Amino acid sequence: MTVQKAGSAVYIYLLSVLVFSIMDTSAKHLSGQIPLPQILAMRALFGFIPVLLLLVLEQRKQNNFTLKSNRFWWQVARGISVALIVATFFAALSLLPFADVVGITLIAPLFMMISGVVFLGESFRLTNFFWCVLGLLGVLLIIRPGGEMHSIIGVFLAILSALLYALSATLTRALSAYDSSAITSLYSSVILSLLVLTWLAFEPWQPMSDLQLSIGVLLGMAGGLGNILLVVAFSLGSVSRLGVLDYTAYIWALVFGYLLFAEQPHSWALVGTCLVVYAGYRVTFDRQ
């Protein structure tokens, strides 16, 4: 992996974190207003828009472009994991404050570092583990396990979402050797849509206002674009190195939570965020 590719992977991944944060904020706004299956349906339906645009660009670049995957069952497994990630995360958002959910899921980079070493044979450094643990300590300061938590189920769902995200990231990195970013993004969108449509068959559709529909469109397009950016980033960089950048999601959660949901960050959150940012910087840019 060249230094240029590694640098590009970092910036693309950081952008994906921001785009996913916009999706999460939209989901938080809609949670409690409309049923979870409808929120997932808008994520699946409107998420097709950026994916289809990418497919058009890929088709123009390659004369022999095909929609066939070289690792079909891997794509199916990744698609199912993406659907479960979105479902568990959105469900957690309906039970816990926005920043708390994001803070809990920031345990994902530690899972990602472990899965990258175990399943992909990525290099392991003791210093990387140390910085990841430091970031985790920052997360613990943010969410304060001894403080109030409104729902044990919400905490469980957030941790499960983080674990599934780590497994999905490992699959994404492995698939980058066989399929293009467009194919991987398409398969996950199709599988997510099929699963959501199956769920909707047993749930009544609730009418939505124009504002709710607009937010749903934003949610879906952000989810589709974020998934594309994620796939591209993992095709350029390692899971264990990029995963720690997820810690920056908490900064966006603080900003959006304060501006849109009037959530006030406590003082320990600021200390924890500083640890998170420093750990992310060290594990990503430390070349020694």
Side-chain angles (χ1 to χ4, degrees):
M1 184 193 309
T2 65
V3 174
Q4 184 177 4
K5 278 189 175 182
S8 298
V10 168
Y11 295 120
I12 293 172
Y13 196 86
L14 284 172
L15 182 58
S16 77
V17 172
L18 171 58
V19 174
F20 276 133
S21 296
I22 294 173
M23 178 192 74
D24 299 338
T25 304
S26 302
K28 177 63 176 178
H29 180 84
L30 293 175
S31 64
Q33 299 182 26
I34 60 177
L36 177 59
Q38 280 185 232
I39 300 176
L40 293 174
M42 289 186 287
R43 161 62 182 91
L45 176 62
F46 298 112
F48 264 112
I49 296 175
V51 173
L52 291 177
L53 291 175
L54 179 61
L55 285 172
V56 171
L57 293 176
E58 287 285 333
Q59 196 272 334
R60 290 182 176 180
K61 288 168 53 178
Q62 303 179 29
N63 295 327
N64 59 343
F65 181 74
T66 177
L67 296 179
K68 182 180 179 181
S69 171
N70 295 307
R71 290 293 184 275
F72 176 78
W73 291 110
W74 290 16
Q75 292 286 7
V76 171
R78 182 185 183 275
I80 293 174
S81 68
V82 168
L84 291 174
I85 291 165
V86 176
T88 52
F89 189 86
F90 286 2
L93 284 176
S94 68
L95 299 171
L96 297 172
F98 183 36
D100 283 353
V101 175
V102 174
I104 294 168
T105 58
L106 290 182
I107 197 174
L110 187 55
F111 291 149
M112 291 166 68
M113 184 185 69
I114 295 171
S115 64
V117 172
V118 173
F119 297 112
L120 300 179
E122 294 181 350
S123 59
F124 172 80
R125 295 179 180 176
L126 188 59
T127 52
N128 278 8
F129 181 79
F130 173 77
W131 296 124
C132 224
V133 171
L134 180 64
L136 179 59
L137 289 176
V139 170
L140 292 176
L141 288 177
I142 291 166
I143 65 175
R144 293 180 303 170
E148 292 185 4
M149 278 293 179
H150 301 294
S151 172
I152 298 299
I153 296 176
V155 174
F156 171 77
L157 288 172
I159 294 175
L160 179 59
S161 180
L163 177 59
L164 290 167
Y165 181 81
L167 296 175
S168 175
T170 304
L171 274 172
T172 303
R173 175 62 177 166
L175 280 165
S176 66
Y178 302 100
D179 291 335
S180 68
S181 301
I183 293 299
T184 297
S185 300
L186 175 64
Y187 272 73
S188 59
S189 294
V190 169
I191 293 170
L192 173 61
S193 298
L194 291 175
L195 292 174
V196 171
L197 287 174
T198 302
W199 191 354
L200 278 175
F202 302 95
E203 294 281 346
W205 185 269
Q206 176 179 309
M208 295 183 293
S209 66
D210 291 341
L211 177 60
Q212 290 172 335
L213 181 59
S214 300
I215 294 174
V217 173
L218 175 63
L219 183 154
M221 293 188 65
L225 177 59
N227 185 52
I228 292 171
L229 294 170
L230 186 77
V231 173
V232 172
F234 281 132
S235 70
L236 299 173
S238 68
V239 170
S240 57
R241 183 170 290 274
L242 292 176
V244 76
L245 295 175
D246 280 323
Y247 290 142
T248 60
Y250 191 79
I251 298 175
W252 297 116
L254 286 177
V255 173
F256 294 142
Y258 177 76
L259 294 177
L260 300 177
F261 308 117
E263 294 180 356
Q264 296 285 346
H266 52 82
S267 56
W268 283 112
L270 301 178
V271 177
T273 299
C274 290
L275 290 179
V276 162
V277 172
Y278 183 69
Y281 171 82
R282 289 304 301 264
V283 81
T284 305
F285 295 103
D286 188 358
R287 303 296 182 184
Q288 303 300 322

